[in-house]
């Protein structure tokens, strides 16, 4: 059974930093159920072989377990944790980074009618489905190459392309195909997401970001909500608070300064929104985080 071999390969090759000898391929092995933690999703395919994970994006909650996959087609602020994991039966997962250029190349090489038609509306930036046998088989063959260094350089890129093609032509393929189209609704929103992340500390008008994205205000707002499950202003707040949390690990005694650095002029508002997001005031949360070992950001959503 592909899932049984997949579990064995993941358990054998897991590293503490989740990296592998194949570029863009990650392996997770988690032995305990940690509290929900915020991170950026990255653009990634994540397959669960054992255990389960719960992920929240805005008001949406996604749960996926053994034999299922999650695809994130936009780098989004999420909160997630493994819900079934212990030392005797750890949660095991496979991840592969999705590159827009690789998607675009496959779309160009595909013959007429080989790939389903891609709609113009922006799909959700995150989706969950059952992994088809052909995808699991390709993932297993890719991980076998970790034991075959002589063949890895030649065969790994080919199998990664196969996995990507299975994903593009599968149940959640519409979102992945749009990732490779420069003028798709998803690509327009991805540009807006990137701009907000790069300018998160600055105030902005939705009208200006819509214009930068090449969309009308109404279309931009509708598509942004569809992809991120948040308004642009809510999205900016999520990024600000996540950046503040990272800064506070190194500057736990400068709550006011950190709040100002991420865009808050009012210290009490910053503390109030931080506590609402993370469950503790900034100073107390920073002390707890300094001794914690955090999962790599965006790894294996």
């Amino acid at each position: 059974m592909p899932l049984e071999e997949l579990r064995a390969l993941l358990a054998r090759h897991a590293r503490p930093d989740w990296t592998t000898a194949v570029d863009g391929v990650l392996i997770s092995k988690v032995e305990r159920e940690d509290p929900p933690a915020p991170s950026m999703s990255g653009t990634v395919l994540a397959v669960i072989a054992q255990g389960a994970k719960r992920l929240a994006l805005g008001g949406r909650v996604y749960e996926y377990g053994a034999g299922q996959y999650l695809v994130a087609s936009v780098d989004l602020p999420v909160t997630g944790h493994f819900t079934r994991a212990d030392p005797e039966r750890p949660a095991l997962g496979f991840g592969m980074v999705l590159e827009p250029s690789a998607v675009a190349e496959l779309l160009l090489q595909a013959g007429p009618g080989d790939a389903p038609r891609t709609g113009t509306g922006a799909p959700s930036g995150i989706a969950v489905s059952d992994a088809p046998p052909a995808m699991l088989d390709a993932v297993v063959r890719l991980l076998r190459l970790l034991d075959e260094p002589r063949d890895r350089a030649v065969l790994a890129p080919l199998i990664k392309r196969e996995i990507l093609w299975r994903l593009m032509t599968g149940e959640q393929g519409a979102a992945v195909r749009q990732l490779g189209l420069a003028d798709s609704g998803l690509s327009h929103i991805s540009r807006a997401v990137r701009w907000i992340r790069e300018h998160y500390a600055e105030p902005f008008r939705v009208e200006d970001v819509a214009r930068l994205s090449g969309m009308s205000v109404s279309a931009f707002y509708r598509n942004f909500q569809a992809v991120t499950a948040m308004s642009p202003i809510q999205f900016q707040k999520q990024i600000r608070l996540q950046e503040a949390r990272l800064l506070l690990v190194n500057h736990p005694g400068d709550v006011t300064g950190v709040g100002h650095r991420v865009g808050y002029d009012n210290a009490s508002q910053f503390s109030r929104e931080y506590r609402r997001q993370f469950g503790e005031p900034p100073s107390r949360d920073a002390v707890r985080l300094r001794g914690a070992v955090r999962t790599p950001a965006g790894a294996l959503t």
Side-chain angles (χ1 to χ4, degrees):
M1 294 290 290
L3 206 55
E4 293 178 4
E5 185 177 358
L6 179 57
R7 292 185 187 113
L9 287 164
L10 293 171
R12 185 163 73 252
H13 291 288
R15 298 173 176 175
D17 65 356
W18 295 17
T19 61
T20 71
V22 178
D23 186 47
V25 170
L26 305 166
I27 293 175
S28 67
K29 181 180 179 181
V30 177
E31 297 184 343
R32 66 181 186 276
E33 297 182 17
D34 287 330
S39 68
M40 297 302 296
S41 67
T43 52
V44 67
L45 163 68
V47 180
I48 295 289
Q50 184 166 280
K53 190 164 188 180
R54 180 178 296 125
L55 201 73
L57 170 67
R60 302 174 192 159
V61 177
Y62 302 88
E63 297 190 52
Y64 60 119
Q68 295 183 304
Y69 71 88
L70 177 144
V71 59
S73 52
V74 180
D75 191 14
L76 297 170
V78 295
T79 300
H81 67 126
F82 287 92
T83 56
R84 291 200 297 272
D86 60 60
E88 293 185 359
R89 194 172 176 80
L92 297 168
F94 162 89
M96 189 176 82
V97 176
L98 303 178
E99 300 289 350
S101 58
V103 176
E105 183 180 353
L106 282 177
L107 287 173
L108 287 172
Q109 291 182 353
D114 289 344
R117 292 177 60 86
T118 299
T120 56
S124 173
I126 290 179
V128 170
S129 284
D130 293 334
M135 179 188 291
L136 290 177
D137 176 69
V139 170
V140 166
R141 285 187 281 110
L142 178 61
L143 292 174
R144 285 177 188 160
L145 294 176
L146 296 175
D147 295 318
E148 302 168 4
R150 186 192 66 177
D151 302 329
R152 192 184 301 145
V154 173
L155 296 182
L158 301 178
I159 301 176
K160 286 171 66 177
R161 284 166 58 85
E162 179 186 346
I163 294 170
L164 184 57
W165 179 251
R166 301 291 184 191
L167 184 60
M168 290 168 56
T169 56
E171 188 174 5
Q172 304 301 336
V176 181
R177 294 192 299 274
Q178 286 205 21
L179 185 63
L181 298 174
D183 200 38
S184 69
L186 185 68
S187 294
H188 286 297
I189 298 304
S190 294
R191 286 197 291 272
V193 164
R194 187 163 51 249
W195 187 91
I196 294 172
R197 287 192 63 195
E198 291 172 354
H199 302 83
Y200 66 86
E202 306 171 16
F204 68 84
R205 296 192 321 145
V206 173
E207 293 86 347
D208 294 336
V209 182
R211 185 165 57 252
L212 286 171
S213 303
M215 305 176 82
S216 69
V217 174
S218 59
F220 171 73
Y221 197 89
R222 182 177 63 254
N223 283 283
F224 196 97
Q225 285 270 18
V227 172
T228 69
M230 289 174 269
S231 71
I233 300 302
Q234 288 171 327
F235 181 88
Q236 181 193 44
K237 183 190 295 185
Q238 290 277 320
I239 299 298
R240 283 180 170 181
L241 292 173
Q242 286 198 10
E243 292 294 330
R245 203 179 200 207
L246 293 174
L247 290 170
L248 283 168
V249 174
N250 295 319
H251 307 281
D254 189 19
V255 173
T256 300
V258 166
H260 184 75
R261 184 170 170 180
V262 300
Y264 284 90
D265 294 328
N266 187 304
S268 61
Q269 181 188 6
F270 169 59
S271 295
R272 183 170 60 253
E273 293 187 356
Y274 189 100
R275 182 169 188 167
R276 187 180 301 128
Q277 178 70 21
F278 301 119
E280 290 185 318
S283 55
R284 188 184 304 166
D285 189 45
V287 170
R288 183 180 62 82
L289 286 171
R290 282 180 69 85
V293 177
R294 294 189 302 279
T295 296
L300 226 61
T301 299

